[in-house]
Amino acid sequence: GIKAICDELGRSRADTIRFGDSDIDLQMTDVVGISVCMANGSDKLKKLRDRICPAATEEGGARGLKTRGLM
């Protein structure tokens, strides 16, 4: 899905950020430019991420975007 959206928008996958917290998100790790795992995420995902942000219950996604100047 990420590849298709980037192709449709004419954007590089290097410009994408993925936030995840479970093993179901592992497939996206190699597709996006920046892979972010929530602090309460799975240990597998934490090992493959580029960054860790606070847990979703602590507004981790929003805080992660603000840190990057995207919000």
Side-chain angles (χ1 to χ4, degrees):
I2 293 169
K3 291 177 187 178
I5 291 170
C6 286
D7 290 346
E8 180 69 25
L9 297 175
R11 300 298 304 220
S12 167
R13 285 184 283 141
D15 294 333
T16 62
I17 299 174
R18 185 242 1 122
F19 289 83
D21 63 358
S22 68
D23 289 349
I24 197 166
D25 300 313
L26 289 169
Q27 290 180 320
M28 292 186 284
T29 303
D30 294 334
V31 178
V32 297
I34 299 172
S35 178
V36 182
C37 183
M38 312 308 274
N40 60 319
S42 77
D43 289 335
K44 265 189 192 177
L45 193 58
K46 284 181 183 175
K47 289 178 185 175
L48 298 173
R49 71 6 181 196
D50 296 306
R51 294 181 174 80
I52 293 179
C53 70
T57 56
E58 299 171 2
E59 299 182 359
R63 290 169 64 184
L65 290 171
K66 286 178 186 176
T67 299
R68 308 281 312 159
L70 299 171
M71 199 172 138

